[in-house]
Amino acid sequence: MKTIYAKPESLYDVTTHFCAGCGHGIIHRIVAEVIDELSIREKTVGVAPVGCAVLGYDYWNFDVSEAAHGRTPAVATGMKRARPDLIIFSYQGDGDLAAIGTAEIIHAANRGENITVIFVNNAVYGMTGGQMAPTTLSGQITRTTPSGRDVTNVGAPLLVPEMLAVCKETKYLVRTSVHNPQNVNKTKKYIKKAFENQINNIGFSLVEVLSPCPTYWGVSPLGSLKWIEEKMVPYFQLGIIKDLPPVPAPISNA
């Protein structure tokens, strides 16, 4: 019998702790599939955030470290510089990356660190109870914005890839989603390229993934997929923001 779908080797066979309808499980599997397909499991190290994905090491069957809140890119930078032979990626939510970790992600990107960043955007703080995040949409109701986010008071939601695109050393910046099969397939393609860029020493790559959070959006799991399509995608437009080719080696005159 031909197997057409099976658990990736890079994923443990365990029960999930994520809420029903959460997108983290889909993204975890995509990362595991890509690592298996690239045959890099034995030299891959993930860096988990503080947030809903803090227990990444319980799901991925490869080395995973933990970082202080928001410091995930700094830890990944240290690992990659100490062991450039390893494949290092950070996996971060919108609070970890775009709030307390803003300085770390900007400077890692500006330095052009040869790491891969998976940025999960669900427009809300999940682990701490549903507060406003840097990516919370205008008018969106959260625990700390009961009347909706007022952009005249707290600013507009951050567009992270667009913000990092001005950094000259960033090479690959893309935004995708997992709210339907078509975009799940695109997400895998983008994440695979982000890892391939690191393997080929191209430089800093970041993939932002729009991910459902039905628990704190106050909708059903199915409704959360519609919410992404109708609410998030019009503001967080999907596609490649920046994709620079590798710099060719200088021609020797010898």
Side-chain angles (χ1 to χ4, degrees), residues 20-40:
C22 175
H24 277 298
I26 300 171
I27 304 167
H28 280 26
R29 182 187 174 96
I30 291 172
V31 170
E33 287 180 350
V34 165
I35 287 171
D36 283 359
E37 291 173 11
L38 294 174
S39 300
I40 56 174

Side-chain angles (χ1 to χ4, degrees), residues 51 132 191 193:
M132 186 190 80
I191 289 178
K193 180 166 183 179

